[in-house]
Amino acid sequence: MIVTVKRSGRRMRSVLARLLSGLAGALLFGAAASASGVNLPVPRQTIHPGDAITPALLIERSFPKATAQRFAIVMSGQDVVGMEAKRTLLPGQPIPLTAVAAPRLVKRGQPARLVFHERGLYIVAQVEAMQNGGAGDVVKVRNLDSGLTVIGTVQADGSVLVGN
């Protein structure tokens, strides 16, 4: 930065001193802010609800530490890769923990496979999911033949388990 002084005198030296001290303070503040920052994963582009999150969709961006302490946000990209967006995620913005979920294996209105297992007896039936659900979620399904509604747990393979 080049400063040209046309007038000499106490007033000009005072203005110049304030300018330089302000510049030095800004430089020190900028260095302190970067030293106390935290890198968080953010979307590279808009991610819509239902989209799977891949490593190519994420970049890291620096935020103040207070951001991570104040809000329930994703701290590592590893935590969200393979998950599904529950709502729109905007580019450059931290990802709230409540905005992502395990991928839906059972989708409302879609056919699913119901497995009843008890004491070595297996019964498999075709059902219609009445709720969305990922692995481990408890969902309602309706038997297509009888119309009976049952509750079961979604398994990793996408089936719904009822019984022990």
Side-chain angles (χ1 to χ4, degrees):
M1 178 167 125
I2 299 174
V3 176
T4 306
V5 178
K6 293 189 178 187
R7 284 189 194 170
S8 60
R10 211 180 326 176
R11 185 167 185 238
M12 187 52 78
R13 282 192 298 259
S14 171
V15 169
L16 186 58
R18 278 187 272 151
L19 175 69
L20 291 175
S21 69
L23 180 62
L27 290 174
L28 288 175
F29 175 77
S34 66
S36 67
V38 60
N39 288 335
L40 299 173
V42 297
R44 181 183 304 264
Q45 63 193 38
T46 301
I47 301 174
H48 298 283
D51 289 351
I53 299 173
T54 63
L57 292 175
L58 299 175
I59 57 173
E60 282 199 355
R61 186 173 155 215
S62 183
F63 289 91
K65 278 189 181 178
T67 302
Q69 295 168 348
R70 214 185 262 155
F71 305 105
I73 54 177
V74 174
M75 299 299 291
S76 168
Q78 309 287 336
D79 296 341
V80 292
V81 169
M83 296 187 91
E84 190 175 276
K86 288 171 52 176
R87 64 179 195 230
T88 302
L89 303 176
L90 300 174
Q93 298 298 315
I95 302 170
L97 289 174
T98 59
V100 294
R104 291 182 288 179
L105 299 173
V106 174
K107 295 180 182 170
R108 183 174 188 233
Q110 299 293 316
R113 188 171 54 113
L114 178 74
V115 177
F116 176 79
H117 174 234
E118 191 171 315
R119 296 185 193 165
L121 173 66
Y122 285 91
I123 300 174
V124 179
Q126 190 74 12
V127 293
E128 178 185 0
M130 298 179 74
Q131 295 174 308
N132 295 326
D137 290 344
V138 176
V139 296
K140 289 182 183 181
V141 295
R142 185 173 55 89
N143 186 319
L144 296 175
D145 295 330
S146 67
L148 181 68
T149 301
V150 293
I151 297 174
T153 305
V154 179
Q155 302 300 295
D157 65 355
S159 64
V160 179
L161 180 67
V162 178
N164 298 344

